[in-house]
Protein backbone atom coordinates (compact mmCIF):
# COMPACT_ATOMS: atom_id res chain seq x y z
CA UNK A 1 0.00 0.00 0.00
CA UNK A 2 1.26 3.50 -0.85
CA UNK A 3 2.02 5.73 2.12
CA UNK A 4 0.37 9.14 2.34
CA UNK A 5 3.82 10.74 2.00
CA UNK A 6 4.39 8.84 -1.27
CA UNK A 7 0.96 9.86 -2.48
CA UNK A 8 1.78 13.51 -1.94
CA UNK A 9 5.02 13.27 -3.84
CA UNK A 10 3.56 11.72 -6.99
CA UNK A 11 -0.07 12.78 -6.87
CA UNK A 12 0.20 14.77 -10.10
CA UNK A 13 0.39 11.47 -12.05
CA UNK A 14 -2.88 10.76 -13.76
CA UNK A 15 -2.98 7.05 -12.96
CA UNK A 16 -2.59 7.73 -9.25
CA UNK A 17 -5.31 10.40 -9.27
CA UNK A 18 -7.62 7.77 -10.75
CA UNK A 19 -6.43 5.18 -8.25
CA UNK A 20 -7.29 7.41 -5.33
CA UNK A 21 -10.34 9.17 -6.78
CA UNK A 22 -12.45 9.08 -3.63
CA UNK A 23 -11.62 10.86 -0.38
CA UNK A 24 -13.47 11.34 2.84
CA UNK A 25 -12.76 15.07 2.57
CA UNK A 26 -12.09 17.14 -0.51
CA UNK A 27 -10.86 20.69 -0.01
CA UNK A 28 -11.14 22.83 -3.14
CA UNK A 29 -8.52 25.55 -2.89
CA UNK A 30 -5.15 25.75 -1.17
CA UNK A 31 -5.12 29.29 0.19
CA UNK A 32 -5.49 30.24 3.83
CA UNK A 33 -8.94 28.68 4.31
CA UNK A 34 -8.13 25.54 2.36
CA UNK A 35 -4.90 24.84 4.22
CA UNK A 36 -6.54 25.53 7.60
CA UNK A 37 -9.43 23.18 6.84
CA UNK A 38 -7.18 20.43 5.48
CA UNK A 39 -4.87 20.69 8.51
CA UNK A 40 -7.79 19.99 10.83
CA UNK A 41 -9.59 17.37 8.75
CA UNK A 42 -6.54 15.23 8.03
CA UNK A 43 -6.87 13.92 11.59
CA UNK A 44 -10.18 12.29 10.66
CA UNK A 45 -9.64 10.55 7.35
CA UNK A 46 -8.30 10.89 3.81
CA UNK A 47 -8.04 14.47 2.54
CA UNK A 48 -7.50 15.72 -1.00
CA UNK A 49 -6.52 19.36 -1.38
CA UNK A 50 -6.99 20.51 -4.98
CA UNK A 51 -4.97 23.53 -6.12
CA UNK A 52 -2.39 24.00 -8.90
CA UNK A 53 -0.55 26.91 -7.26
CA UNK A 54 3.14 26.47 -6.51
CA UNK A 55 3.30 29.60 -4.37
CA UNK A 56 1.46 30.72 -1.24
CA UNK A 57 1.33 34.33 -0.05
CA UNK A 58 0.42 36.11 3.15
CA UNK A 59 -1.47 38.80 1.27
CA UNK A 60 -2.10 41.29 4.12
CA UNK A 61 1.63 42.06 4.04
CA UNK A 62 1.39 43.54 0.54
CA UNK A 63 0.30 46.92 1.92
CA UNK A 64 3.66 47.19 3.66
CA UNK A 65 5.44 45.93 0.53
CA UNK A 66 3.86 48.77 -1.43
CA UNK A 67 5.28 51.24 1.09
CA UNK A 68 8.79 49.79 1.02
CA UNK A 69 8.55 48.45 4.57
CA UNK A 70 8.47 44.74 3.70
CA UNK A 71 9.33 42.76 0.55
CA UNK A 72 7.28 40.36 -1.54
CA UNK A 73 9.69 37.62 -0.44
CA UNK A 74 8.64 38.28 3.16
CA UNK A 75 5.07 37.35 2.19
CA UNK A 76 5.95 34.16 0.31
CA UNK A 77 6.23 30.45 1.03
CA UNK A 78 6.09 27.48 -1.31
CA UNK A 79 2.67 25.82 -1.35
CA UNK A 80 4.43 22.53 -0.59
CA UNK A 81 5.36 24.01 2.81
CA UNK A 82 1.73 24.85 3.54
CA UNK A 83 -0.16 21.70 2.50
CA UNK A 84 -0.49 19.62 5.69
CA UNK A 85 1.42 16.36 6.03
CA UNK A 86 -0.86 13.43 5.28
CA UNK A 87 -3.08 15.28 2.81
CA UNK A 88 -3.02 14.39 -0.89
CA UNK A 89 -2.20 17.46 -2.93
CA UNK A 90 -3.82 17.28 -6.36
CA UNK A 91 -2.05 19.91 -8.44
CA UNK A 92 -4.92 20.67 -10.77
CA UNK A 93 -7.37 23.50 -11.23
CA UNK A 94 -10.92 22.86 -10.05
CA UNK A 95 -13.14 22.96 -13.12
CA UNK A 96 -16.59 22.37 -11.65
CA UNK A 97 -18.83 20.90 -8.97
CA UNK A 98 -21.54 18.24 -9.19
CA UNK A 99 -22.82 18.17 -5.61
CA UNK A 100 -25.72 15.85 -6.39
CA UNK A 101 -23.15 13.11 -6.99
CA UNK A 102 -20.55 14.41 -4.51
CA UNK A 103 -18.10 15.10 -7.32
CA UNK A 104 -15.44 17.70 -8.05
CA UNK A 105 -14.21 18.03 -11.63
CA UNK A 106 -10.61 19.00 -12.36
CA UNK A 107 -9.05 20.64 -15.42
CA UNK A 108 -7.39 17.40 -16.56
CA UNK A 109 -10.74 15.61 -16.69
CA UNK A 110 -10.56 13.75 -13.40
CA UNK A 111 -13.64 13.24 -11.24
CA UNK A 112 -12.84 13.34 -7.55
CA UNK A 113 -15.59 12.17 -5.22
CA UNK A 114 -16.02 12.93 -1.55
CA UNK A 115 -18.03 12.35 1.57
CA UNK A 116 -17.55 15.97 2.67
CA UNK A 117 -16.56 19.01 0.63
CA UNK A 118 -14.97 22.28 1.75
CA UNK A 119 -14.94 25.04 -0.87
CA UNK A 120 -12.09 27.51 -0.29
CA UNK A 121 -11.50 28.96 -3.74
CA UNK A 122 -11.34 32.63 -2.82
CA UNK A 123 -12.46 35.19 -5.38
CA UNK A 124 -11.19 36.67 -8.63
CA UNK A 125 -9.40 39.99 -9.09
CA UNK A 126 -11.13 41.75 -12.00
CA UNK A 127 -8.91 44.58 -13.19
CA UNK A 128 -10.60 44.06 -16.56
CA UNK A 129 -13.77 45.69 -15.22
CA UNK A 130 -12.04 49.08 -15.55
CA UNK A 131 -11.54 50.08 -19.17
CA UNK A 132 -7.85 50.36 -20.09
CA UNK A 133 -6.59 49.18 -16.71
CA UNK A 134 -5.15 45.75 -17.63
CA UNK A 135 -3.11 47.31 -20.42
CA UNK A 136 -1.43 49.89 -18.17
CA UNK A 137 -1.24 48.21 -14.76
CA UNK A 138 2.38 48.00 -13.69
CA UNK A 139 3.54 50.96 -15.78
CA UNK A 140 2.81 54.66 -16.32
CA UNK A 141 2.47 55.13 -12.56
CA UNK A 142 -0.58 52.81 -12.42
CA UNK A 143 -0.19 50.35 -9.56
CA UNK A 144 -2.06 48.10 -7.13
CA UNK A 145 -1.13 46.23 -3.98
CA UNK A 146 -3.53 43.46 -5.05
CA UNK A 147 -2.02 40.42 -6.75
CA UNK A 148 1.35 38.67 -6.39
CA UNK A 149 4.26 40.97 -7.21
CA UNK A 150 2.13 44.01 -7.98
CA UNK A 151 3.05 45.83 -4.77
CA UNK A 152 6.69 45.98 -5.88
CA UNK A 153 5.69 48.44 -8.60
CA UNK A 154 3.68 50.46 -6.07
CA UNK A 155 6.87 51.08 -4.10
CA UNK A 156 8.90 51.69 -7.26
CA UNK A 157 6.41 54.36 -8.29
CA UNK A 158 6.06 55.94 -4.87
CA UNK A 159 9.79 56.04 -4.15
CA UNK A 160 10.56 57.70 -7.49
CA UNK A 161 8.06 60.55 -7.15
CA UNK A 162 9.26 64.13 -6.99
CA UNK A 163 5.82 65.32 -5.98
CA UNK A 164 2.63 65.49 -8.00
CA UNK A 165 -0.91 64.14 -7.90
CA UNK A 166 -1.58 60.78 -6.22
CA UNK A 167 -4.96 59.07 -6.63
CA UNK A 168 -6.23 56.07 -4.65
CA UNK A 169 -9.41 54.17 -5.50
CA UNK A 170 -11.97 51.83 -3.94
CA UNK A 171 -14.08 49.88 -6.49
CA UNK A 172 -17.80 49.64 -7.04
CA UNK A 173 -17.68 45.88 -6.41
CA UNK A 174 -16.94 43.40 -3.64
CA UNK A 175 -13.34 43.74 -2.48
CA UNK A 176 -10.75 41.82 -0.50
CA UNK A 177 -9.77 43.76 2.63
CA UNK A 178 -11.87 46.89 2.35
CA UNK A 179 -9.28 49.00 4.16
CA UNK A 180 -6.35 48.26 1.85
CA UNK A 181 -7.11 50.96 -0.77
CA UNK A 182 -6.76 53.71 1.81
CA UNK A 183 -4.02 52.14 3.96
CA UNK A 184 -1.51 52.77 1.19
CA UNK A 185 -2.62 56.40 0.95
CA UNK A 186 -1.67 57.10 4.55
CA UNK A 187 1.64 55.26 4.15
CA UNK A 188 2.34 57.24 0.97
CA UNK A 189 1.56 60.50 2.75
CA UNK A 190 3.96 59.57 5.55
CA UNK A 191 6.69 58.72 3.01
CA UNK A 192 6.22 62.00 1.14
CA UNK A 193 6.64 63.95 4.39
CA UNK A 194 9.76 61.99 5.34
CA UNK A 195 11.47 62.73 2.02
CA UNK A 196 10.43 66.39 2.07
CA UNK A 197 8.04 66.58 -0.88
CA UNK A 198 4.67 66.53 0.86
CA UNK A 199 4.03 70.21 0.05
CA UNK A 200 4.56 69.40 -3.63
CA UNK A 201 2.00 66.59 -3.59
CA UNK A 202 -1.76 66.11 -3.41
CA UNK A 203 -3.50 62.90 -2.35
CA UNK A 204 -7.10 62.03 -3.17
CA UNK A 205 -9.11 58.95 -2.18
CA UNK A 206 -11.98 58.07 -4.53
CA UNK A 207 -14.34 55.53 -3.00
CA UNK A 208 -17.48 54.05 -4.50
CA UNK A 209 -18.89 53.80 -0.97
CA UNK A 210 -21.02 56.57 0.58
CA UNK A 211 -18.50 56.86 3.45
CA UNK A 212 -14.76 56.52 3.96
CA UNK A 213 -15.30 53.22 5.82
CA UNK A 214 -18.31 51.00 6.42
CA UNK A 215 -18.23 50.99 10.24
CA UNK A 216 -19.08 54.43 11.71
CA UNK A 217 -16.77 54.15 14.73
CA UNK A 218 -13.69 53.73 12.56
CA UNK A 219 -14.98 56.03 9.83
CA UNK A 220 -14.97 58.92 12.31
CA UNK A 221 -11.29 58.37 13.08
CA UNK A 222 -10.36 57.95 9.42
CA UNK A 223 -12.21 61.11 8.38
CA UNK A 224 -10.31 63.04 11.02
CA UNK A 225 -6.96 61.57 10.03
CA UNK A 226 -7.56 62.23 6.33
CA UNK A 227 -8.39 65.84 7.09
CA UNK A 228 -5.35 66.27 9.36
CA UNK A 229 -3.06 64.78 6.70
CA UNK A 230 -4.57 66.88 3.93
CA UNK A 231 -5.95 63.89 2.00
CA UNK A 232 -9.11 64.65 0.03
CA UNK A 233 -11.89 62.04 0.23
CA UNK A 234 -14.41 61.77 -2.60
CA UNK A 235 -17.32 59.40 -1.91
CA UNK A 236 -19.67 57.69 -4.38
CA UNK A 237 -16.96 57.97 -7.01
CA UNK A 238 -16.01 54.94 -9.11
CA UNK A 239 -12.97 54.50 -11.37
CA UNK A 240 -14.30 53.46 -14.79
CA UNK A 241 -11.41 54.08 -17.20
CA UNK A 242 -7.65 54.60 -17.23
CA UNK A 243 -5.50 56.04 -20.00
CA UNK A 244 -2.00 55.20 -18.87
CA UNK A 245 -0.17 56.93 -21.71
CA UNK A 246 -1.89 60.22 -20.94
CA UNK A 247 -1.90 59.54 -17.19
CA UNK A 248 -5.62 60.18 -17.00
CA UNK A 249 -8.23 58.49 -14.78
CA UNK A 250 -11.95 58.72 -15.47
CA UNK A 251 -14.36 58.63 -12.51
CA UNK A 252 -18.13 58.30 -12.49
CA UNK A 253 -20.31 59.89 -9.85
CA UNK A 254 -22.57 57.04 -8.75
CA UNK A 255 -25.42 59.40 -7.88
CA UNK A 256 -25.52 61.58 -10.98
CA UNK A 257 -23.76 59.38 -13.53
CA UNK A 258 -21.50 62.31 -14.45
CA UNK A 259 -17.95 61.43 -15.53
CA UNK A 260 -14.87 63.49 -14.76
CA UNK A 261 -11.25 63.06 -15.81
CA UNK A 262 -8.30 63.60 -13.49
CA UNK A 263 -4.60 63.62 -14.28
CA UNK A 264 -2.23 61.70 -12.03
CA UNK A 265 1.41 60.99 -11.33
CA UNK A 266 0.52 57.88 -9.32
CA UNK A 267 -2.72 55.92 -9.44
CA UNK A 268 -3.22 53.12 -6.91
CA UNK A 269 -6.19 50.93 -7.81
CA UNK A 270 -8.14 48.94 -5.26
CA UNK A 271 -8.87 45.83 -7.33
CA UNK A 272 -12.45 45.16 -8.39
CA UNK A 273 -13.36 41.63 -7.27
CA UNK A 274 -16.00 39.06 -8.17
CA UNK A 275 -16.94 35.43 -7.47
CA UNK A 276 -14.95 32.86 -9.42
CA UNK A 277 -16.97 31.37 -12.30
CA UNK A 278 -16.00 27.86 -11.22
CA UNK A 279 -18.41 28.02 -8.29
CA UNK A 280 -20.56 30.96 -9.39
CA UNK A 281 -21.87 28.85 -12.30
CA UNK A 282 -22.39 25.74 -10.16
CA UNK A 283 -25.35 24.49 -8.12
CA UNK A 284 -23.45 25.63 -5.01
CA UNK A 285 -23.90 29.35 -5.77
CA UNK A 286 -26.48 31.81 -4.53
CA UNK A 287 -28.02 34.45 -6.80
CA UNK A 288 -24.97 36.71 -6.40
CA UNK A 289 -22.53 33.94 -7.32
CA UNK A 290 -21.08 33.17 -3.87
CA UNK A 291 -21.14 29.71 -2.29
CA UNK A 292 -24.49 29.69 -0.52
CA UNK A 293 -23.91 28.92 3.17
CA UNK A 294 -25.67 29.60 6.43
CA UNK A 295 -23.89 32.67 7.77
CA UNK A 296 -23.59 31.28 11.29
CA UNK A 297 -22.77 27.60 10.65
CA UNK A 298 -20.93 27.81 7.26
CA UNK A 299 -22.89 24.76 6.10
CA UNK A 300 -24.34 24.90 2.61
CA UNK A 301 -28.02 25.79 2.56
CA UNK A 302 -28.89 22.91 0.22
CA UNK A 303 -26.14 20.28 0.54
CA UNK A 304 -25.48 19.41 4.17
CA UNK A 305 -22.14 17.72 3.46
CA UNK A 306 -20.75 20.88 1.83
CA UNK A 307 -19.15 23.81 3.66
CA UNK A 308 -17.31 26.93 2.50
CA UNK A 309 -14.69 29.13 4.10
CA UNK A 310 -13.12 32.47 3.27
CA UNK A 311 -13.68 34.87 0.40
CA UNK A 312 -15.81 32.47 -1.66
CA UNK A 313 -18.67 32.06 0.81
CA UNK A 314 -21.79 34.17 1.05
CA UNK A 315 -21.25 35.44 4.60
CA UNK A 316 -22.02 39.19 4.51
CA UNK A 317 -18.88 40.49 6.18
CA UNK A 318 -15.42 41.74 5.21
CA UNK A 319 -13.33 39.31 3.15
CA UNK A 320 -10.08 39.09 5.11
CA UNK A 321 -7.61 36.57 6.55
CA UNK A 322 -9.07 37.38 9.97
CA UNK A 323 -12.45 36.18 8.72
CA UNK A 324 -10.87 32.88 7.66
CA UNK A 325 -9.31 32.40 11.10
CA UNK A 326 -12.60 32.97 12.89
CA UNK A 327 -14.49 30.71 10.50
CA UNK A 328 -11.93 27.93 10.74
CA UNK A 329 -12.93 26.62 14.15
CA UNK A 330 -16.66 26.89 13.43
CA UNK A 331 -16.31 24.99 10.16
CA UNK A 332 -14.19 22.25 11.73
CA UNK A 333 -16.55 21.82 14.66
CA UNK A 334 -19.63 21.61 12.47
CA UNK A 335 -18.11 19.10 10.05
CA UNK A 336 -17.33 16.88 13.02
CA UNK A 337 -20.92 17.23 14.20
CA UNK A 338 -22.30 16.25 10.79
CA UNK A 339 -19.98 13.23 10.76
CA UNK A 340 -21.51 12.13 14.06
CA UNK A 341 -25.08 12.69 12.86
CA UNK A 342 -25.53 15.73 15.09
CA UNK A 343 -27.03 19.12 14.31
CA UNK A 344 -24.67 21.93 13.38
CA UNK A 345 -24.49 24.89 15.75
CA UNK A 346 -24.32 28.61 15.14
CA UNK A 347 -20.87 29.88 15.97
CA UNK A 348 -19.64 32.41 13.45
CA UNK A 349 -20.59 35.98 14.34
CA UNK A 350 -19.19 37.62 11.21
CA UNK A 351 -15.90 38.52 12.87
CA UNK A 352 -13.44 40.20 10.57
CA UNK A 353 -10.58 42.58 11.09
CA UNK A 354 -9.02 45.40 9.15
CA UNK A 355 -5.68 46.56 10.59
CA UNK A 356 -5.62 50.07 9.10
CA UNK A 357 -2.11 51.44 8.74
CA UNK A 358 -2.42 55.22 9.06
CA UNK A 359 1.22 56.27 8.69
CA UNK A 360 3.83 57.30 11.23
CA UNK A 361 4.16 53.67 12.38
CA UNK A 362 0.62 53.69 13.77
CA UNK A 363 -2.46 51.61 13.13
CA UNK A 364 -6.21 51.62 13.76
CA UNK A 365 -7.21 48.04 14.58
CA UNK A 366 -10.77 47.74 13.28
CA UNK A 367 -12.52 44.55 14.44
CA UNK A 368 -16.19 44.02 13.82
CA UNK A 369 -18.84 41.47 12.94
CA UNK A 370 -22.19 41.25 11.24
CA UNK A 371 -24.06 44.53 10.85
CA UNK A 372 -21.00 46.46 12.02
CA UNK A 373 -21.07 45.09 15.58
CA UNK A 374 -17.81 46.09 17.32
CA UNK A 375 -15.77 43.03 18.32
CA UNK A 376 -12.53 44.52 19.57
CA UNK A 377 -9.99 42.23 21.20
CA UNK A 378 -8.39 44.61 23.68
CA UNK A 379 -10.13 46.59 26.45
CA UNK A 380 -9.05 49.91 24.89
CA UNK A 381 -10.43 52.09 22.15
CA UNK A 382 -8.92 50.48 19.05
CA UNK A 383 -10.13 53.34 16.87
CA UNK A 384 -7.24 55.37 18.29
CA UNK A 385 -4.02 55.02 16.25
CA UNK A 386 -1.58 52.81 18.11
CA UNK A 387 2.12 52.02 17.69
CA UNK A 388 1.61 48.70 19.50
CA UNK A 389 -1.06 47.60 17.05
CA UNK A 390 1.19 48.62 14.15
CA UNK A 391 3.89 46.35 15.56
CA UNK A 392 1.35 43.53 15.82
CA UNK A 393 0.45 44.02 12.15
CA UNK A 394 4.06 44.18 11.00
CA UNK A 395 5.71 41.49 13.12
CA UNK A 396 3.19 39.30 14.97
CA UNK A 397 0.31 38.73 12.55
CA UNK A 398 2.52 37.18 9.84
CA UNK A 399 3.79 34.61 12.35
CA UNK A 400 0.23 33.85 13.47
CA UNK A 401 -0.63 33.19 9.85
CA UNK A 402 2.25 30.87 8.97
CA UNK A 403 2.47 29.06 12.30
CA UNK A 404 -1.17 29.10 13.33
CA UNK A 405 -3.88 29.97 10.82
CA UNK A 406 -2.89 27.71 7.92
CA UNK A 407 -2.05 24.96 10.42
CA UNK A 408 -5.63 25.10 11.70
CA UNK A 409 -4.64 26.14 15.23
CA UNK A 410 -5.21 29.93 15.11
CA UNK A 411 -8.97 30.40 15.04
CA UNK A 412 -9.15 34.10 15.71
CA UNK A 413 -8.85 36.23 18.85
CA UNK A 414 -12.27 35.46 20.30
CA UNK A 415 -10.80 33.66 23.31
CA UNK A 416 -8.39 36.55 23.88
CA UNK A 417 -11.25 39.04 23.72
CA UNK A 418 -13.20 37.11 26.33
CA UNK A 419 -10.17 36.79 28.61
CA UNK A 420 -9.35 40.49 28.29
CA UNK A 421 -12.90 41.41 29.15
CA UNK A 422 -13.29 38.84 31.93
CA UNK A 423 -15.68 36.70 29.94
CA UNK A 424 -17.65 39.54 28.40
CA UNK A 425 -18.29 39.22 24.64
CA UNK A 426 -18.22 42.90 23.77
Amino acid sequence: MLSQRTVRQVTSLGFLARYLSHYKFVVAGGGSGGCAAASNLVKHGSVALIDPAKDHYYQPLWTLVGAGIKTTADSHRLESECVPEGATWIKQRVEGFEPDTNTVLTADGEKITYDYLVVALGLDLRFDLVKGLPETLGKNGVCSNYGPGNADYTWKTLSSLKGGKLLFTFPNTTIKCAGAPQKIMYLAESHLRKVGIRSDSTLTYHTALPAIFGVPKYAATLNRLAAEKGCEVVTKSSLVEVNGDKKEAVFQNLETGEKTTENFDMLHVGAPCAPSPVYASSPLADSAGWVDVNRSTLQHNTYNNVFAIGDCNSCPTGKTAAKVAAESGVLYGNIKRVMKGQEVVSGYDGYTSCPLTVGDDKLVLAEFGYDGAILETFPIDQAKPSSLNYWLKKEVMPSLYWRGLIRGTWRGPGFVRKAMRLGMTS
Side-chain angles (χ1 to χ4, degrees), residues 386-401:
S386 162
S387 297
L388 173 61
N389 286 337
Y390 175 78
W391 174 77
L392 290 174
K393 157 79 174 177
K394 181 183 174 189
E395 305 296 344
V396 177
M397 292 180 187
S399 293
L400 279 177
Y401 181 85

Side-chain angles (χ1 to χ4, degrees), residues 84-95:
E85 194 67 39
T88 299
W89 179 17
I90 299 175
K91 301 174 187 177
Q92 290 291 328
R93 187 179 72 253
V94 174
E95 193 73 13

Side-chain angles (χ1 to χ4, degrees), residues 237-254:
S237 178
S238 177
L239 178 70
V240 294
E241 184 175 350
V242 180
N243 187 321
D245 293 333
K246 294 182 178 180
K247 292 200 168 184
E248 292 178 343
V250 180
F251 295 92
Q252 184 173 36
N253 183 301
L254 295 178

Side-chain angles (χ1 to χ4, degrees), residues 3 7 10 65 119 121 137 139 154 182 266 296 318 335 363 386:
S3 69
V7 169
V10 295
V65 174
V119 185
L121 286 172
L137 184 66
K139 57 185 178 181
T154 301
Q182 64 180 295
M266 173 178 170
S296 298
I335 291 178
L363 181 142
S386 162

Side-chain angles (χ1 to χ4, degrees), residues 363-383:
L363 181 142
V364 170
L365 185 53
E367 294 182 289
F368 51 96
Y370 289 134
D371 305 315
I374 303 301
L375 296 173
E376 293 181 344
T377 298
F378 304 109
I380 58 173
D381 183 2
Q382 291 179 195

